[in-house]
Amino acid sequence: MESLRDLGLSSYEDRAYRGLLSLGTGTAAAVAEESGVPKGRVYDALGGLESRGLVRVQTDREPKRYAPVEPAVAVDRLVETKRRELRQRIETYESGKSELIDRLADAETTDDEFWTAAVGADDSLDLLFERIDAAEESIVVVATDVSAQFDVDREGPELLDRLLGAIRSGVDVSVLLSPDVFDDARAAVDADRATLTIAQGPFELRITEDAYGNFYLIDGEEVCLEVADPLAPDRLFGMLDLRDRGFAARVRDGFEAAWADGTVVDDV
């Protein structure tokens, strides 16, 4: 910060305070002369400083005399005032957030067909987590293999936390894993956290050998599809996010067939 104006003072208030620091004490006329604040504005400037607790006023004599509080006290008081203002502003934003989301949702129109893509493991995870967080009704997770670029010990717990957040929001979550992925996930995820997740409703976990590939079906109409590197099938090339109801319906039908034959997991 270069001046008290960064903390909310006007230019005249800033100059008047600095003038008082130079004087030690002084009348309004002396402050105007020392600071260069016009005489017609100096009383407003001193009044503003007084209201902020930055000057003390001697009123038992005429003309009034003013004295500045110490700079450390002045800055602390201004910072605290700014902190309260920012806190109130954040509370206002938070209180109006839901209403704004509802208004934007009412105005939202979704094209029947839309797709986007991310390349590389990190960007693919960012895209996946974004779409999981956006789910409103249901999330289907199908995983039959793990890319060599995915650190299950790191990404597994984070994915689980995202799914838990969705569950707490009332989103139905169904997870279908191959036996190998289930074993990897069980080894990577804390047992207590996994047990808590399974105990949550609505959440179901099943194991199958009749599914292929890794994909995520969001709200029954959006598919996040992992794409393997054609030159190295065990490595992830990227993530496709397809919003296509026809394609999503085909994916859902295939999932439901494998899901019906899957083995239910009640505990870990």
Side-chain angles (χ1 to χ4, degrees), residues 98-113:
S98 296
E99 181 181 354
L100 178 57
I101 291 173
D102 290 342
R103 288 181 178 178
L104 293 173
D106 289 341
E108 183 181 19
T109 57
T110 303
D111 292 334
D112 288 339
E113 296 183 7

Side-chain angles (χ1 to χ4, degrees), residues 19-250:
L20 269 175
L21 286 178
S22 298
L23 291 171
T25 65
T27 63
V31 172
E33 182 176 353
E34 177 67 25
S35 65
V37 176
K39 290 183 178 180
R41 301 297 303 274
V42 72
Y43 286 102
D44 289 340
L46 290 169
L49 293 174
E50 182 182 0
S51 69
R52 290 178 168 86
L54 305 188
V55 300
R56 299 185 296 275
V57 186
Q58 186 177 5
T59 59
D60 62 350
R61 56 187 294 186
E62 290 293 338
K64 294 179 182 179
R65 296 186 66 83
Y66 299 84
V69 301
E70 291 74 10
V73 174
V75 171
D76 282 345
R77 288 177 177 173
L78 289 173
V79 168
E80 180 57 32
T81 298
K82 185 64 69 174
R83 183 181 291 114
R84 287 197 302 269
E85 291 174 354
L86 292 174
R87 189 181 300 120
Q88 291 171 357
R89 186 175 300 178
I90 290 172
E91 290 174 355
T92 299
Y93 291 153
E94 289 289 346
S95 64
K97 183 172 64 175
S98 296
E99 181 181 354
L100 178 57
I101 291 173
D102 290 342
R103 288 181 178 178
L104 293 173
D106 289 341
E108 183 181 19
T109 57
T110 303
D111 292 334
D112 288 339
E113 296 183 7
F114 177 82
W115 69 272
T116 188
V119 176
D122 290 340
D123 288 346
S124 295
L125 277 175
D126 287 343
L127 175 59
L128 174 61
F129 291 158
E130 172 197 310
R131 303 321 303 151
I132 287 176
D133 291 345
E136 297 180 349
E137 298 177 0
S138 64
I139 299 172
V140 165
V141 179
V142 175
T144 61
D145 53 55
V146 178
S147 166
Q149 291 170 282
F150 277 10
D151 184 343
V152 178
D153 290 336
R154 184 186 68 185
E155 275 87 25
E158 186 172 359
L159 175 59
L160 189 59
D161 285 341
R162 299 280 179 157
L163 295 176
L164 269 173
I167 292 167
R168 295 189 185 104
S169 299
V171 176
D172 291 316
V173 175
S174 303
V175 178
L176 184 63
L177 305 177
S178 68
D180 288 343
V181 172
F182 175 71
D183 290 339
D184 289 342
R186 184 167 54 179
V189 176
D190 177 79
D192 291 339
R193 186 187 300 180
T195 300
L196 172 65
T197 305
I198 290 175
Q200 297 280 332
F203 177 88
E204 288 189 75
L205 171 63
R206 298 188 184 187
I207 300 174
T208 184
E209 295 182 350
D210 295 330
Y212 173 77
N214 298 346
F215 63 85
Y216 307 81
L217 179 61
I218 311 296
D219 290 337
E221 59 183 27
E222 180 179 355
V223 180
C224 290
L225 183 65
E226 291 186 15
V227 179
D229 187 330
L231 301 181
D234 66 331
R235 295 184 64 82
L236 179 74
F237 178 77
M239 181 80 69
L240 281 178
D241 175 41
L242 301 98
R243 189 178 300 160
D244 184 315
R245 291 177 181 172
F247 179 70
R250 289 171 52 202

